Amino acid sequence: MSPRPRLEDAHADLATKIKVVARQQMAEHGTAGISLRGIARALGITAPAIYNYYPRLDDLITALIVDAYTDIADRMDAAVASVGAGPWRDGFVAGALTYRAWALEHPVEFQLIYGNPIPGYVAPTEVTQPLARRPFAAMGNQLIQAWMDGELHLPFSTADLPESIVRHLESLGLPGDLSIPVAPLYALITGWARLHGLVMLELFHHLQPLLGDTEALYRHEVEVMAGEFGGDHH
């Protein structure tokens, strides 16, 4: 006779199932289509049973956001680490390519954290902001190391930037592993905006009719950006 599952294991299993059904709801009805009662019906449990795990809908949404940021960050960290101690551009390119790959594999979660806001939901910034920075920590570290080594050659200087932006970047108060000087930090943020735009346009099928091979386009743009930053192609 098999042993009965421990109570905490059963709780963890149901909490996971709730999130799985929530993601299915988002896939079918959009990121704002999550309903605790609908999840309860799908799982064959009562709505109050869900409240034991997620007292409010906002708590469930936050849990989904935490999972998404953690997963994409872990994937990007692993991609950057996989290139070893090679040229900085290798880690930068690996992280950028993984960003797109994760988005295509998890379009619902990607839109949850980077796209569609959910009406009425306000994220707890003390929870989500540190996680939101994680996906680019490894790539940011690649840039700062290249900057310190004199290998990062940006096509602009801090003096070229609007003073208001410089002041804001200087006041961000980033965690220790993202203590990047203004110039490479600006390059990282604007580079992300450039690549993120391509990913979002691809997710909503705007690029495919125009350019066809979106994977080749994205890889080319990543390589071009790395070259603009002084990373030699090899």
Side-chain angles (χ1 to χ4, degrees), residues 44-114:
I45 60 178
T46 64
I50 292 183
Y51 302 151
N52 293 326
Y53 304 92
Y54 306 105
R56 303 174 305 144
L57 179 60
D58 282 10
D59 297 320
L60 175 56
I61 295 171
T62 297
L64 295 171
I65 290 172
V66 167
D67 285 354
Y69 274 132
T70 300
D71 193 36
I72 189 173
D74 287 347
R75 284 277 298 276
M76 291 176 70
D77 284 349
V80 172
S82 71
V83 304
W88 70 264
R89 74 174 315 282
D90 292 352
F92 179 85
V93 169
L97 294 179
T98 301
Y99 181 75
R100 171 184 175 272
W102 191 90
L104 296 183
E105 292 169 16
H106 305 87
V108 171
E109 291 93 330
F110 190 81
Q111 291 175 55
L112 176 65
I113 58 177
Y114 292 124

